[in-house]
Amino acid sequence: MEQSSHIKVKDLNVYYGQNHVLKNINIEIPNNQITAIIGPSGCGKTTLLKCFNRLIESVDGVRVTGEVLVGGENIYDPKAEVTHIRKKMGLLSQRPFPLPMSIYDNIAYGPKIHGERNKKELDRIVEHYLKEASLWEEVKDRLKTPAGSLSIGQQQRLCLARGLAVEPDIILGDEPTSALDPQSSRHIEQKFIELKEKYSIVFVTHILRQAKRIADYLIFIHMGEIIECGPTKEILENPKEKKTQDYVLGIIS
């Protein structure tokens, strides 16, 4: 059965000033799967990820051409509404950035922005998404304490819950476990595996073992170009391109 695509990228080019960072990117990212973007440091992995929610536009001097279709909508259409686009995306950064407020208010923040005012409904949302992120049992008795008092691993799960609370379609992760201890990393990996039933997940990683453990689909990028993409097992065990073979073998890193 053919896998449907949640994100389609057509002739995407990104320039930082005169520097051509992403070059003629054409890819399709499957729905309800975990997609890992892999490649050497500085190859454009995070730049590509940030194109999916238009965060790339926060970089001075950036210029983007081409199309990124999310659910069939070109998010770079001049008429596209950025807030609406970003609501579709939950984002986990390398380090967690809880808002400077309570655990409860971190989760309630997004729904409040989108108009939810009912206290009972906000309570339900907070509990539901803390459970989704496997954090509820650890924090249910201290919801009014500052989010900054949590461990870094708990903070990352809090940020995951906060992102889910606005009911996105897609979860993006920029090396979301790189600052975490092994146990916290496993927590996030396991949540990704569970959550792919409801969401499409795209994350950047520099750890091939992690990509092998949890990704269904791989995109290998090198020097701003897509070299190869496909099912994880196929890319890691039978890569078609010499550069992919070299990366998998650790010859280029």
Side-chain angles (χ1 to χ4, degrees), residues 12 36 59 87-88 111 121 134 154 156 177:
L12 179 71
V59 179
K87 187 178 184 294
K88 293 182 177 183
E121 179 59 14
S134 298
Q154 290 173 322
Q156 190 67 307
T177 64

Side-chain angles (χ1 to χ4, degrees), residues 4 16 19 30 34 37 40 55 69 93 113 121 127-129 135 143 154 171 178 198 202-203 225 233 239 242:
S4 64
Y16 294 157
N19 187 15
I34 300 174
I37 304 172
L55 271 183
L69 301 169
S93 302
I113 282 181
E121 179 59 14
E127 179 175 346
H128 176 77
Y129 288 107
L135 192 58
L143 294 176
Q154 290 173 322
I171 299 169
S178 63
K198 300 179 184 176
V202 188
F203 77 107
E225 297 181 346
K233 187 177 174 69
K242 178 70 164 60

Side-chain angles (χ1 to χ4, degrees), residues 4-234:
S4 64
S5 300
H6 206 149
I7 301 174
K8 293 185 181 182
V9 181
K10 297 181 179 180
D11 301 322
L12 179 71
N13 288 271
V14 176
Y15 304 83
Y16 294 157
Q18 298 301 311
N19 187 15
H20 195 177
V21 182
L22 291 181
K23 303 165 186 173
N24 300 315
I25 304 295
N26 288 278
I27 50 172
E28 296 191 8
I29 291 176
N31 195 17
N32 293 106
Q33 291 194 20
I34 300 174
T35 297
I37 304 172
I38 61 171
S41 295
C43 67
K45 299 188 296 293
T46 295
T47 297
L48 178 59
L49 189 81
K50 287 182 176 178
C51 287
F52 297 154
N53 64 357
R54 287 182 52 171
L55 271 183
I56 193 67
E57 294 172 351
S58 63
V59 179
D60 287 340
V62 73
R63 182 165 63 91
V64 180
T65 65
E67 295 184 350
V68 175
L69 301 169
V70 178
E73 176 189 5
N74 177 20
I75 66 172
Y76 284 92
D77 187 298
K79 297 174 186 171
E81 209 275 303
V82 178
T83 306
H84 162 71
I85 289 161
R86 292 192 180 141
K87 187 178 184 294
K88 293 182 177 183
M89 314 275 179
L91 176 66
L92 282 184
S93 302
Q94 289 186 23
R95 293 189 65 84
F97 292 104
L99 300 171
M101 53 184 68
S102 71
I103 294 167
Y104 181 100
D105 287 337
N106 262 266
I107 311 304
Y109 182 80
K112 282 180 178 177
I113 282 181
H114 293 290
E116 185 57 65
R117 291 288 179 269
N118 184 283
K119 178 68 165 59
K120 280 190 177 179
E121 179 59 14
L122 288 170
D123 289 349
R124 185 200 67 78
I125 288 168
V126 170
E127 179 175 346
H128 176 77
Y129 288 107
L130 285 172
K131 284 179 175 176
E132 281 272 85
S134 298
L135 192 58
W136 173 251
E137 290 301 324
E138 296 167 50
V139 302
K140 63 182 181 182
D141 297 324
R142 49 176 175 144
L143 294 176
K144 296 303 181 183
T145 59
S149 66
L150 296 172
S151 72
I152 191 166
Q154 290 173 322
Q155 287 181 26
Q156 190 67 307
R157 280 183 283 146
L158 179 75
C159 290
L160 175 60
R162 188 180 73 209
L164 295 177
V166 295
E167 300 183 342
D169 299 326
I170 297 162
I171 299 169
L172 305 178
D174 184 9
E175 298 191 29
T177 64
S178 63
L180 306 184
D181 62 82
Q183 184 177 2
S184 297
S185 296
R186 289 290 179 147
H187 261 304
I188 295 294
E189 288 182 8
Q190 186 56 42
K191 286 316 299 180
F192 277 8
I193 291 167
E194 293 170 17
L195 289 168
K196 73 178 181 181
E197 291 185 11
K198 300 179 184 176
Y199 308 92
S200 301
I201 299 171
V202 188
F203 77 107
V204 167
T205 184
H206 63 279
I207 306 167
L208 268 180
R209 294 187 309 281
Q210 182 178 60
K212 186 175 183 179
R213 275 196 301 271
I214 69 169
D216 304 295
Y217 195 83
L218 289 188
I219 296 168
F220 173 53
I221 187 168
H222 185 262
M223 302 290 285
E225 297 181 346
I226 302 292
I227 305 301
E228 196 166 348
C229 53
T232 299
K233 187 177 174 69
E234 187 178 297

